[in-house]
Amino acid sequence: MVNRRMAPVEIEKRSFEIITEELGERTFAPGVAEVVKRVIHTTADFDYADNLYFSENVIERAKEALSAGATIVTDTNMALAGISKPTLTKLGGRAVCLMADEAVAREAKVRGVTRATVSIEHAAKLHGPLIFAVGNAPTALIRLHELINEGAVQPALVIGVPVGFVNVVEAKELFLGGDTPYIIARGRKGGSNVAAAIVNALLYQLVKREGF
């Protein structure tokens, strides 16, 4: 029977209870479970329990960056819209997406490259801790990896979860085992909603710990 009287908070609570039940005996490192479960909650796809890969100590390192007022750079306005701005603001951070910037569009056209490539180059010049949340464009992830190797940027965290078929798997694999902190969704699955869900999972953990 459909329960038509459940409040949104009750629906979310019950959803996470179901996810926990269906994960069964699966266990995750501290902080990782919250990320995995929120991505499953967003997608209803339990494959993410196996597809998400986390670098060592990435949860705590991400929280340190967010506590220091990190700027979150997304490759789509959809991901930008999905990030909890009130929570981020409490921590003194901000989220930006340069994909629609006119200067980025002009430069991309002149150079014959994707706007995602140029937007990442521009974002790499921003000050303070940077978290890159890439959910759509593998070219953004590839250029980011190049910039890291060139010493042009040192991200506090790379969330690499683009979705698709062309260069997607290869772009994600570039970061695995590297020195840059990462949360990567291996394989073809991902998306802007997944990128935003991961960011929010980190934010919610942090504000809960800080008692905001």
Side-chain angles (χ1 to χ4, degrees), residues 66-88:
L66 290 167
S67 295
T71 295
I72 299 169
V73 178
T74 71
D75 67 325
T76 65
N77 282 310
M78 179 180 175
L80 180 66
I83 293 171
S84 175
K85 308 303 187 306
T87 307
L88 185 58

Side-chain angles (χ1 to χ4, degrees), residues 83-102:
I83 293 171
S84 175
K85 308 303 187 306
T87 307
L88 185 58
T89 300
K90 289 178 182 178
L91 298 170
R94 62 171 181 154
V96 300
C97 178
L98 304 180
M99 288 288 287
D101 186 272
E102 291 183 3

